[in-house]
Amino acid sequence: GAMTRLHQLCIAVLMATLLGCTPSISRDQSKRLIAASAVLLAHPEGDIPESRWPEVVAHLNPKRVYRNHQGVYICTYEFFVEQQGVFILDPASTFIPGRNGDPSYDVVAAGVFIYRSAG
């Protein structure tokens, strides 16, 4: 009936909204991110100023980019405490990004992940 269609539409809109926030990275972008990772990982811990972002990072239109002991976080979506974006693992770090924590990490390429944090 009409109720079911409305329900399906609501779910479709909700899914599109959720998926819209999640950054998607092409193979080409992930290759360029890997190429730029050394430059990003060379930064000291803390925020990396926009003037220092490689082109591939700037193309993701991040809200902020910062470095910590785990690697580099390229935050492309921020809503209160929720955060999503791209994470580049520091090869020298003992940190192992996983899917079940918060933040959760999905592998895009070797050392490059999509991360989501519920805050």
Side-chain angles (χ1 to χ4, degrees), residues 76-99:
T76 57
Y77 172 82
E78 221 168 3
F79 186 73
F80 294 105
V81 294
E82 197 183 333
Q83 238 189 54
Q84 294 179 5
V86 181
F87 170 67
I88 297 169
L89 180 65
D90 183 343
S93 168
T94 55
F95 176 62
I96 299 166
R99 297 187 68 156

Side-chain angles (χ1 to χ4, degrees), residues 54-76:
E55 191 185 350
V56 63
V57 172
H59 272 287
L60 294 169
N61 295 323
K63 307 277 180 264
R64 62 186 282 237
V65 179
Y66 60 95
R67 166 87 161 100
N68 69 11
H69 64 283
Q70 298 168 342
V72 174
Y73 285 85
I74 301 164
C75 176
T76 57

